[in-house]
């Protein structure tokens, strides 16, 4: 049986950030990085670009074999975690492999969550979470003419754009009344929708699929939507069946404290599988976005190696950048996707002709959220201003007029 | 991974002229007027002050960690965070990672852009009139000399925070094995360089002359090597007591005869390893165990003998002062001194603040070294008979002398008239030195 000091299960951003943090302090103790995939580590975020052909599958690796050799990391491929016995320090993988560990990080990510639609089991459909999914979708696009996408989140909209650019007729079905709900309000979404409609994509908002038959989806309003290719992009959720009987507490994800520790002493969790505290609201949730996976992975790795530099996770902040048809949208923080909340102060600049949109939300002279379409912002600075709850009263007018330059000024000062 | 060169920005002296942005835009796009193409952004901060958004080339760069495409990498050789246009998918997640607005997307540029230090020759620094932008290359010194063999034994027993140990290790790394070292009584043998417990403290020939005859013994050895046709560097590692007090006669004689010696004096202003007694190099007003502070006496009553000036008056082949804060300057001078010692007498004077004897925290040695130079308490210069005296650090905008004196316990008792006397002395000395500039 293989044994190691550190076992990291999952080789995407959280797992890699943890491995880096561990190797920063402890260059030698045995470290095994296990991936259920057969590829070198890659980011799920790159997959839409693999589908579009902008990224070559063989050039998406975030680490190389040479890197693992240099850092004395054992990289295991095709290792699907089956069960854990934390008391004995044992992780059991498929095909009968077991690994003994001193410390374990679960960074197993999430899997597509499939809607309960009658007939789903009888039709061929695609999801987009792994490299094999991406390559499968890319191949399927070659023989298909009409695509149906369920869900107008980041994966659905990215994939729809790719398929439209590849010359297919594309429809998106989304139960809510806009694209990218949660990140943008309806006005920002309208700018993005224009680009989609301009490229011939049919947006069916406020509707859902009632049933599926091979080649046809029947919507809840009775409309038949024929398709050659069906992509389901209705969100992801952690797949945690391997924790059955492990004693590790879960809710929607693996419950962790602000140092990414689970309820068991030698087990940490980070990234899309972890349920963490939220910075801008009460309670906990699964953050499910790349920058949060990086933060959490790093904190978990630091904890596993007893790095004195470890700082607790301040809480997840909603953050995203979204490129569509050569245009850019940015979403940072809260209060920007719906109506104004009481006590907040909002600046909205919307120019339909110029296709620009900016919404800044402040509360008690502190930044709550910012969203923009085709309006340059430094999201990293805005994130810091939210986390630091920087008092903007001295520069408020300037900030509202020009958040980019003023943000740079503030961070240049705060850094010293 | 070694140390890296880095771009620095000093907001307190930036004039906001924008020349750096024009130079960057020109270097990156060919058009100096395309400010959007500049990867350094100077932003007005009101009251004629400015701030900058500029890539720090972070050690654990979040832009790199956030990149899903592997397009950003920390270059282990240069330290620069490299961006690969072929791999970039313009997802902008790197801009989420950067807290300084230093990797940014401008739609007019069409992709994210960040500083690449122009391959180690940044265009912005060259045009900066105020000196607010700098490119610090000191790291390469540590990388280069770090690879050379350390010719002193590990575990020398110098006091905590002693920069003399650091400097003698640097010196021998540069000088190499082909050397004979004279280490007269003082802190340097005291820390074990000539040997302890029957073991040698150095991996090269080293001997322990008397305080009085360091330079003459070394001169004799050097002449013997020369007669044998061997080119061996003759190096003295002496303290200020050994050089300026009892050892002065032999030092002065060797300089006058132009012996082919490199004489290094580590000036910690006193006899520190024997109990912190004053030497002739101890500065006015200093507390030492022989110049105590009490009813009658308020520290040393006489001014320090300025040994480097005295050595300059010998018209030696090379004379210079150096500080461990300015290592590029130090290594340049060491190289020149080494070369000069092949034909004549070379003297290098190193300022060596002593945490134990001067009473300041051991962690602040380098800060004290810096303040010492920046307040003009000492000045850095070099002299050759051909060039005369050349200052190697500007002396025109000194920091307040008080900032230096207050950092050090041995000056804690100073009355205002004593501080004024030191000020007057420093001004007079600087004026005198300036007269040797051609």
């Amino acid at each position: 049986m293989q044994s190691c000091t550190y076992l990291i299960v999952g080789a995407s951003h959280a797992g890699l950030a943890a491995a880096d943090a561990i190797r920063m302090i402890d260059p030698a103790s045995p470290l095994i990085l296990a991936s259920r995939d057969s590829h070198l580590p890659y980011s799920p975020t790159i997959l839409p670009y693999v589908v579009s052909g902008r990224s070559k599958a063989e050039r998406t690796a975030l680490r190389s074999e040479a890197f693992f050799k240099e850092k004395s990391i054992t990289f295991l491929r095709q290792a699907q975690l089956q069960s854990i016995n934390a008391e004995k320090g044992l992780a059991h993988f498929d095909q009968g492999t077991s690994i003994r560990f001193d410390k374990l990080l679960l960074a197993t990510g999430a899997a597509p969550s499939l809607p309960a639609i009658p007939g789903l089991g009888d039709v061929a459909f695609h999801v987009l979470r792994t490299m094999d999914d991406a390559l499968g979708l890319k191949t399927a696009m070659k023989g298909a003419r009409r695509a149906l996408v369920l869900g107008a989140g980041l994966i659905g909209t990215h994939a729809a754009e790719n398929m439209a650019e590849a010359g297919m007729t594309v429809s998106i079905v989304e139960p809510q009344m806009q694209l990218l709900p949660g990140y943008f309000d309806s006005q920002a979404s309208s700018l993005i929708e224009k680009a989609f409609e301009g490229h011939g994509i049919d947006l069916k908002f406020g509707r859902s699929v009632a049933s599926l038959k091979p080649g046809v989806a029947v919507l809840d309003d009775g409309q038949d939507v024929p398709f050659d290719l069906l992509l389901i992009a209705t969100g992801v959720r952690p797949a945690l069946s391997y924790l059955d009987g492990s004693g590790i507490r879960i809710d929607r994800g693996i419950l962790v404290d602000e140092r990414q520790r689970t309820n068991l002493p030698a087990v940490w969790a980070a990234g899309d599988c972890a349920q963490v505290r939220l910075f801008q609201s009460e309670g906990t949730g699964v953050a499910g976005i790349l920058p949060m996976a990086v933060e959490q992975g790093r904190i978990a790795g630091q904890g596993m190696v007893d790095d004195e530099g470890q700082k607790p996770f301040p809480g997840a902040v909603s953050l995203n950048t979204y490129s569509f048809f050569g245009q850019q949208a940015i979403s940072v923080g809260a209060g920007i996707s719906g109506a104004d909340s009481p006590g907040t102060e909002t600046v909205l600049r919307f120019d339909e002709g110029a296709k620009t949109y900016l919404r800044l939300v402040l509360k008690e002279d502190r930044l709550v959220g910012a969203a923009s379409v085709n309006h340059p912002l430094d999201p990293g600075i805005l994130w810091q201003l939210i986390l630091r709850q920087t008092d903007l009263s001295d520069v408020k007018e300037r900030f509202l007029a020009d958040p980019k330059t003023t943000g740079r000024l503030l961070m240049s000062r705060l850094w010293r | 991974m070694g140390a890296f060169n880095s771009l620095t920005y000093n907001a307190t002296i930036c004039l906001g002229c924008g020349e750096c942005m024009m130079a960057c835009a020109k270097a990156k796009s060919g058009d100096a007027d395309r400010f959007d193409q500049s990867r350094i952004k100077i932003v007005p901060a009101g009251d004629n002050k400015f701030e900058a958004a500029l890539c720090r080339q972070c050690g654990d760069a979040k832009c790199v960690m956030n990149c899903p495409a592997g397009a950003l990498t920390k270059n282990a050789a240069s330290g620069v965070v490299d961006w690969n246009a072929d791999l970039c998918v313009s997802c902008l997640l790197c801009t989420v990672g950067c807290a300084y607005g230093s990797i940014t997307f401008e739609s007019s540029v069409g992709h994210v852009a960040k500083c690449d230090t122009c391959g180690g020759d940044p265009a912005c620094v060259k045009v900066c009139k105020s000196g607010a932008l700098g490119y610090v290359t000191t790291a390469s010194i540590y990388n280069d000399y770090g690879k050379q063999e350390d010719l002193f034994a590990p575990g020398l027993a110098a006091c905590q925070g002693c920069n003399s140990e650091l400097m003698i290790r640097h010196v021998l790394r540069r000088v190499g094995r082909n050397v004979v070292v004279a280490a007269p009584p003082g802190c340097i043998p005291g820390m074990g360089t000539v040997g302890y417990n029957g073991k040698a403290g150095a991996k090269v020939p080293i001997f322990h002359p008397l305080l009085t005859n360091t330079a003459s013994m070394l001169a004799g050895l050097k002449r013997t090597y020369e007669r044998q046709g061997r080119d061996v560097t003759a190096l003295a590692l002496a303290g200020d007591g050994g050089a300026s007090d009892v050892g002065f006669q032999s030092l002065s004689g060797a300089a006058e005869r132009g012996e082919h010696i490199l004489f290094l004096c580590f000036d910690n202003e006193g006899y520190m390893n024997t109990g912190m007694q004053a030497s002739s190099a101890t500065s006015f007003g200093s507390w030492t165990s022989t110049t105590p502070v009490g009813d009658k006496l308020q520290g040393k009553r006489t001014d320090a003998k300025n040994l480097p000036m005295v050595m300059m008056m010998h018209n030696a082949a090379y004379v210079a002062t150096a500080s461990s804060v300015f290592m590029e300057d130090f290594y340049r001078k060491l190289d020149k001194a080494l070369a000069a010692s092949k034909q004549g007498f070379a003297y290098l004077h190193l300022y060596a603040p002593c945490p134990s004897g001067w009473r300041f925290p051991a962690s602040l040695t380098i800060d004290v070294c810096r303040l010492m130079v920046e307040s003009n308490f000492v000045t850095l210069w070099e002299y050759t008979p051909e060039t005369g005296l050349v200052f190697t650090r500007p002396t025109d905008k000194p920091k307040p002398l008080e900032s230096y004196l207050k950092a050090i316990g041995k000056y804690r008792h100073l009355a205002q008239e004593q501080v004024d006397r030191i000020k007057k002395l420093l001004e007079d000395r600087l004026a005198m030195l300036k007269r040797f500039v051609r």
Side-chain angles (χ1 to χ4, degrees):
Chain A
M1 189 190 298
Q2 287 196 82
S3 67
C4 61
T5 310
Y6 311 103
L7 173 61
I8 298 174
V9 186
S12 188
H13 290 282
L16 294 173
D20 287 346
I22 290 169
R23 280 296 181 244
M24 191 81 89
I25 300 290
D26 178 352
S29 301
L31 192 166
I32 295 176
L33 180 65
S35 168
R36 65 175 178 205
D37 221 293
S38 57
H39 303 273
L40 279 168
Y42 61 85
S43 171
T45 304
I46 201 68
L47 299 174
Y49 303 94
V50 173
V51 174
S52 73
R54 181 153 179 183
S55 295
K56 305 258 173 297
E58 63 277 12
R59 291 189 73 197
T60 56
L62 296 174
R63 300 289 187 277
S64 64
E65 288 289 1
F67 172 86
F68 291 130
K69 197 164 172 224
E70 187 199 322
K71 297 285 180 185
S72 305
I73 294 171
T74 306
F75 179 58
L76 289 186
R77 303 180 199 227
Q78 289 175 298
Q80 176 86 46
L81 187 59
Q82 299 290 334
S83 64
I84 295 166
N85 184 333
E87 208 163 277
K88 291 187 177 161
L90 285 174
H92 303 292
F93 293 84
D94 54 350
Q95 297 160 356
T97 326
S98 294
I99 295 175
R100 191 185 300 282
F101 60 83
D102 296 340
K103 295 171 181 187
L104 170 67
L105 171 64
L106 300 169
T108 52
S113 91
L114 299 176
I117 301 174
L120 182 63
D122 305 324
V123 296
F125 64 90
H126 291 264
V127 292
L128 188 51
R129 186 65 187 178
T130 67
M131 186 59 75
D132 291 340
D133 293 342
L135 295 172
L137 179 59
K138 198 173 179 204
T139 308
M141 278 164 59
K142 282 178 194 150
R145 211 164 43 77
R146 293 165 304 178
L148 174 61
V149 177
L150 306 193
L154 284 163
I155 290 288
T157 51
H158 258 303
E161 176 181 339
N162 292 337
M163 293 191 279
E165 292 286 69
M168 298 167 73
T169 308
V170 184
S171 304
I172 302 179
V173 174
E174 164 62 46
Q176 300 203 41
M177 294 309 293
Q178 63 167 90
L179 291 170
L180 303 164
Y183 288 120
F184 297 101
D185 63 17
S186 55
Q187 215 161 23
S189 175
S190 71
L191 285 181
I192 305 171
E193 288 158 25
K194 282 226 170 59
F196 272 68
E197 284 158 356
H199 284 79
I201 297 172
D202 180 22
L203 301 170
K204 297 179 187 302
F205 289 141
R207 270 169 281 175
S208 55
V209 175
S211 67
L212 281 161
K213 287 178 284 189
V216 185
V218 183
L219 303 191
D220 51 2
D221 62 359
Q223 190 192 350
D224 279 357
V225 183
F227 62 85
D228 310 320
L229 190 159
L230 174 64
L231 176 71
I232 298 185
T234 48
V236 295
R237 75 162 70 107
L240 301 172
S241 58
Y242 63 82
L243 289 176
D244 292 350
S246 67
I248 293 174
R249 288 174 52 211
I250 61 172
D251 178 24
R252 277 157 290 159
I254 303 169
L255 292 168
V256 293
D257 67 5
E258 73 285 0
R259 295 178 190 273
Q260 305 302 131
R261 292 174 295 202
T262 67
N263 60 309
L264 296 184
V267 185
W268 284 255
D272 291 2
C273 69
Q275 188 169 332
V276 294
R277 68 154 103 168
L278 306 173
F279 188 77
Q280 295 185 293
S281 54
E282 295 296 313
T284 57
V286 176
I289 51 174
L290 193 162
M292 293 304 136
V294 168
E295 292 292 306
Q296 295 173 31
R298 182 177 146 100
I299 291 166
Q302 288 176 322
M304 292 167 81
V305 76
D306 293 321
D307 185 339
E308 288 175 5
Q310 188 200 41
K311 291 198 180 90
F313 184 59
V317 174
S318 170
L319 289 169
N320 239 307
T321 55
Y322 175 59
S323 296
F324 58 99
F325 298 106
Q327 302 178 54
Q328 284 74 34
I330 293 166
S331 167
V332 180
I336 43 178
S337 61
D340 291 340
S341 328
T344 59
E345 190 179 341
T346 293
V347 166
L348 186 71
R349 283 202 279 281
F350 178 59
D351 187 334
E352 205 172 349
K355 296 190 222 164
T356 60
Y357 163 94
L358 175 70
R359 181 172 177 183
L360 299 169
V361 180
L362 271 62
K363 188 172 188 178
E364 289 160 7
D365 292 343
R366 284 160 174 83
L367 183 64
V368 174
S372 78
V373 180
N374 295 322
H375 192 298
L377 287 175
D378 295 321
I381 288 180
L382 300 175
W383 181 15
Q384 285 299 316
L385 295 179
I386 291 172
L387 282 183
R388 295 170 185 224
Q389 300 181 297
T390 306
D391 185 354
L392 300 172
S393 47
D394 286 347
V395 289
K396 194 161 128 191
E397 266 179 47
R398 260 191 90 177
F399 181 78
L400 296 176
D402 183 359
K404 190 175 78 168
T405 307
T406 315
R408 288 173 182 176
L409 156 70
L410 288 167
M411 277 316 294
S412 178
R413 263 191 208 151
L414 287 170
W415 182 69
R416 277 206 297 278
Chain B
M1 203 185 279
F4 299 125
N5 298 336
S6 59
L7 265 169
T8 56
Y9 174 71
N10 183 348
T12 57
I13 56 173
C14 177
L15 302 170
C17 66
E19 292 282 341
C20 54
M21 291 166 70
M22 290 170 74
C24 184
K26 177 109 171 83
K28 299 307 167 200
S29 73
D31 184 350
D33 295 329
R34 294 274 316 264
F35 268 32
D36 56 333
Q37 292 276 0
S38 176
R39 294 165 191 194
I40 174 170
K41 278 104 180 173
I42 304 293
V43 289
D47 296 336
N48 222 14
K49 292 201 168 12
F50 299 88
E51 295 286 345
L54 166 67
C55 179
R56 273 87 173 152
Q57 318 292 352
C58 299
D60 53 349
K62 278 207 187 141
C63 57
V64 174
M65 290 194 259
N66 275 359
C67 178
L72 288 163
T73 43
K74 175 83 177 169
N75 187 319
S78 67
V80 171
V81 172
D82 290 331
W83 174 73
N84 182 327
D86 287 345
L87 294 178
C88 180
V89 296
S90 288
C91 70
L92 312 193
L93 280 167
C94 51
T95 69
V96 176
C98 182
Y100 308 111
S102 306
I103 182 161
T104 56
F105 181 85
E106 299 280 350
S107 52
S108 55
V109 178
H111 55 76
V112 292
K114 68 175 290 300
C115 169
D116 58 5
T117 72
C118 297
D121 186 21
C124 53
V125 176
K126 282 188 246 177
V127 298
C128 180
K129 285 182 280 219
S130 66
L133 282 171
Y135 190 60
V136 179
T137 57
T138 317
S140 61
I141 287 179
Y142 293 94
N143 293 339
D144 294 347
Y145 287 99
K147 287 179 202 139
Q148 307 293 323
E149 188 183 7
D150 184 356
L151 292 170
F152 281 108
L156 294 180
C159 299
Q160 195 177 39
C162 173
N163 78 334
S164 299
E165 178 184 350
L166 178 79
M167 296 309 282
I168 61 174
R169 289 184 189 275
H170 271 282
V171 168
L172 271 201
R173 279 192 146 111
R174 170 67 189 87
V175 172
R177 284 184 167 274
N178 189 27
V179 68
V180 57
V181 180
C187 290
I188 292 169
M191 67 177 81
T193 55
V194 290
Y196 50 97
N197 295 340
K199 311 268 192 215
K203 302 173 191 171
V204 295
I206 186 165
F207 68 102
H208 192 44
L210 297 177
L211 271 173
T212 46
N213 64 11
T214 307
S216 47
M217 270 187 87
L218 197 57
L221 274 168
K222 175 70 181 179
R223 287 191 181 204
T224 305
Y225 282 128
E226 284 182 344
R227 276 190 198 158
Q228 292 170 347
R230 291 175 64 189
D231 178 21
V232 176
T233 301
L235 175 70
L237 301 176
D240 54 282
S244 66
D245 291 350
V246 279
F248 180 68
Q249 180 276 326
S250 65
L251 171 62
S252 176
E256 182 266 325
R257 296 191 303 276
E259 300 287 352
H260 299 174
I261 292 175
L262 171 52
F263 196 104
L264 259 67
C265 175
F266 294 81
D267 182 0
N268 58 14
E269 300 187 10
Y271 295 90
M272 294 308 173
N273 71 316
T274 50
M276 303 157 195
Q277 296 90 349
S279 77
S280 61
T282 304
S283 54
F284 171 81
S286 294
W287 170 91
T288 68
S289 60
T290 53
T291 59
V293 176
D295 293 341
K296 300 270 188 258
L297 200 61
Q298 292 292 312
K300 192 167 177 256
R301 283 180 294 197
T302 55
D303 296 328
K305 184 193 287 179
N306 191 317
L307 192 59
M309 272 172 89
V310 174
M311 297 314 294
M312 175 173 69
M313 299 314 293
H314 285 72
N315 218 24
Y318 186 78
V319 178
T321 61
S323 167
S324 48
V325 173
F326 304 101
M327 290 300 279
E328 285 155 308
D329 180 65
F330 162 73
Y331 269 111
R332 209 177 44 75
K333 287 170 174 169
L334 181 59
D335 282 347
K336 284 189 177 179
L338 256 177
S341 75
K342 303 296 174 189
Q343 284 92 41
F345 191 87
Y347 176 85
L348 196 50
H349 193 93
L350 270 164
Y351 294 106
C354 169
S356 310
W358 294 17
R359 299 173 173 180
F360 60 83
S363 59
L364 295 182
T365 306
I366 298 298
D367 299 83
V368 169
C369 286
R370 184 182 297 282
L371 270 175
M372 192 181 204
V373 174
E374 291 184 342
S375 66
N376 275 1
F377 189 82
V378 298
T379 50
L380 300 186
W381 49 265
E382 63 185 354
Y383 169 88
T384 67
E386 295 77 33
T387 59
L389 186 143
V390 177
F391 285 100
T392 55
R393 287 272 316 166
T395 57
D396 48 347
K397 281 183 193 163
K399 286 197 172 151
L401 175 66
E402 286 79 358
S403 64
Y404 172 66
L405 298 178
K406 280 193 178 126
I408 297 162
K410 71 170 179 168
Y411 299 121
R412 193 169 297 139
H413 60 279
L414 289 187
Q416 188 57 46
E417 58 264 32
Q418 288 175 296
V419 174
D420 292 343
R421 172 166 164 173
I422 297 172
K423 272 189 191 161
K424 174 86 172 48
L425 174 76
L426 295 180
E427 281 163 17
D428 290 350
R429 183 182 294 160
L430 184 60
M432 198 191 296
L433 280 170
K434 282 181 174 168
R435 288 203 282 275
F436 291 95
V437 178
R438 288 184 193 160

